[in-house]
Amino acid sequence: MATTTTTTTGFTPGMLPDEYESLRRQVAKFADTEVAPVSAELDAAHRFPYELVARMGAMGLFGLPFDEEHGGMGGDYFALCLAIEEIARVNQSLAITLEAGVSLGAMPIHRFGTEEQKREWLPQLTDGSGLAAFGLTEPEAGSDAGGTRTKAVLEDGTWTINGSKSFITNSGTDITRLVTATAVTGTRIGGDGQEKPEISTIMIPAGTPGFTAEPAYDKVGWNSSDTHPLTFDNVRVPEENLLGERGRGYANFLRILDEGRIAVAALSVGAAQGCVDESVKYAGERTSFGRPIAEYQGISFKIARMEARVVAARTAYYLAASRMLAGLPFKKEAAIAKLVAGEAAMDNARDATQIHGGYGFMNEYLVARHYRDSKILEVGEGTTEVQLMLIARELGI
């Protein structure tokens, strides 16, 4: 896919440039014909979808925003968001596997890696044959990432890393190639004259002695995605495994989070849209007192409100993506998109479950999976409260 130049006016829902629309249709067909039929089985078995990941790799989805020189498709971040949205309509677990594999796994290497690091790692991440993860969150450092306790000591050209990470996506699969972890590598004097921890990011290949992906979490939702706590017990890696400038790990990851919020917003929009699609279909087929329930105003108005949420959330993430690609500030817009879309996904899942009645409580129904899956969209990659804080700060309050 060739890169399309965007303007400050951004993208318009329903009026995408041809190459974006072609990609969206291709991924939508894949989602409907190959992903949807096996999603309930994967969810029930808590099984990671290796076959579907390989298929997405062959389609080039993991390489969408990367240059062809490093194995990518030469597209952009908005193309990735469109793909994530379409997959999330039918399977959030697979969508988060793609989102985390690209925006949290490969993107830090693309943004901050040396040419040698890019050539070594990106080709196997952009073709879907391997996955990378980012270890930021710790048991006592979530939204407060500055509270990192993992430490890395450099001696004789080798980093020795000790600590732990929590809730790390794509960190324990058979195709996980590396985890990039934030760690305290020393101290620095801040602008206020106070001593502060120096946080850097270090790449740790899978299989490195002392690096353990602990047993997977038993989650409420996203059951076929891969999520583990990690431990580092005297893990030793070469000095050149430092990713980016020493001491810039936290600042660099804040940039990655800003971008990632747009992708998670796209995932949330896909989930919200999936709830609308299922509700429209069910309301037209289900009868009560001799009439399709869609004819009752209580149902039709509920679905109309669901659709309004989708349109508002999609418009928000399109705006954030367009500003990002145009080189304009987008922190506030990304936070708004994440906030609005995450709430839309959860609200639509709740309403769709209500419309389906008892069937909405059955796990084989897509709306039940969306109900379980969507809550994390108000938590992951920055809670709702963090988004509100960021928006307020950008307003100067």
Side-chain angles (χ1 to χ4, degrees):
M1 173 179 181
T3 302
T4 293
T5 301
T6 59
T7 68
T8 56
T9 57
F11 303 105
T12 302
M15 298 177 62
L16 292 174
D18 289 345
E19 64 184 60
Y20 288 112
E21 179 60 21
S22 176
L23 171 69
R24 189 197 67 76
R25 289 179 181 273
Q26 178 190 8
V27 179
K29 181 179 179 181
F30 165 71
D32 292 333
T33 61
E34 299 186 46
V35 179
V38 299
S39 291
E41 178 185 353
L42 289 168
D43 182 86
H46 292 226
R47 188 168 73 247
F48 187 77
Y50 288 102
E51 299 84 358
L52 293 175
V53 169
R55 179 77 176 93
M56 290 194 300
M59 293 171 65
L61 302 189
F62 285 93
L64 278 172
F66 303 113
D67 55 79
E68 296 179 11
E69 180 184 0
H70 298 111
M73 298 295 290
D76 57 33
Y77 206 84
F78 182 63
L80 171 68
C81 290
L82 291 176
I84 290 170
E85 178 186 341
E86 290 300 334
I87 292 170
R89 283 190 301 108
V90 301
N91 189 319
Q92 290 191 44
S93 290
L94 188 60
I96 195 59
T97 299
L98 174 61
E99 190 277 334
V102 176
S103 71
L104 299 181
M107 190 59 72
I109 300 173
H110 172 70
R111 293 279 185 227
F112 312 118
T114 64
E115 185 58 31
E116 290 76 15
Q117 290 170 338
K118 293 177 184 179
R119 290 189 182 280
E120 178 180 2
W121 293 109
L122 286 181
Q124 58 187 304
L125 303 179
T126 56
D127 70 1
S129 64
L131 293 172
F134 203 107
L136 175 73
T137 303
E138 298 186 1
E140 296 182 4
S143 298
D144 177 21
T148 299
R149 296 290 179 265
T150 296
K151 297 185 183 303
V153 177
L154 180 63
E155 188 175 15
D156 297 328
T158 298
W159 292 105
T160 300
I161 307 161
N162 286 280
S164 61
K165 299 293 179 178
S166 302
F167 314 126
I168 309 304
T169 304
N170 293 344
S171 59
T173 73
D174 293 343
I175 58 174
T176 298
R177 298 289 184 256
L178 79 156
V179 172
T180 300
T182 51
V184 177
T185 53
T187 58
R188 290 189 174 188
I189 302 300
D192 57 1
Q194 300 297 311
E195 190 175 82
K196 298 181 183 298
E198 173 191 82
I199 298 178
S200 306
T201 51
I202 301 172
M203 297 186 298
I204 306 171
T208 301
F211 167 33
T212 303
E214 303 292 350
Y217 291 103
D218 182 12
K219 297 173 292 187
V220 171
W222 285 2
N223 286 334
S224 60
S225 73
D226 177 83
T227 319
H228 296 259
L230 308 177
T231 57
F232 309 118
D233 183 10
N234 287 322
V235 172
R236 293 168 61 85
V237 299
E239 181 178 2
E240 54 265 29
N241 279 30
L242 178 73
L243 181 62
E245 181 184 342
R246 179 169 176 169
R248 292 287 300 172
Y250 184 45
N252 288 346
F253 195 67
L254 289 179
R255 165 63 189 264
I256 293 297
L257 279 179
D258 285 340
E259 296 178 0
R261 288 182 180 120
I262 303 175
V264 172
L267 192 159
S268 302
V269 169
Q273 182 67 65
C275 289
V276 171
D277 296 345
E278 292 298 303
S279 296
V280 169
K281 178 182 176 182
Y282 183 81
E285 296 172 348
R286 173 70 170 173
T287 60
S288 179
F289 299 102
R291 299 166 57 192
I293 64 172
E295 295 183 9
Y296 294 100
Q297 192 176 81
I299 298 295
S300 64
F301 277 17
K302 193 180 294 290
I303 296 175
R305 192 173 294 278
M306 291 166 64
E307 175 69 5
R309 294 182 191 122
V310 170
V311 172
R314 182 177 288 122
T315 301
Y317 101 70
Y318 276 29
L319 173 61
S322 67
R323 289 184 64 86
M324 172 188 164
L325 295 184
L328 298 172
F330 65 94
K331 181 183 288 287
K332 181 181 71 173
E333 288 76 14
I336 290 172
K338 170 69 167 58
L339 170 71
V340 172
E343 291 185 344
M346 191 67 244
D347 289 344
N348 278 16
R350 181 176 58 250
D351 285 348
T353 301
Q354 189 72 19
I355 289 167
H356 280 69
Y359 293 109
F361 203 60
M362 302 297 112
N363 276 329
E364 66 265 27
Y365 278 75
L366 176 55
V367 296
R369 298 199 301 278
H370 276 316
Y371 188 79
R372 287 188 287 105
D373 290 346
S374 293
K375 181 57 195 173
I376 192 62
L377 297 171
E378 297 181 314
V379 176
E381 293 209 33
T383 64
T384 294
E385 291 74 19
V386 166
Q387 307 316 310
L388 292 168
M389 179 185 68
L390 290 172
I391 295 165
R393 283 181 179 173
E394 290 297 303
L395 293 172
I397 56 177

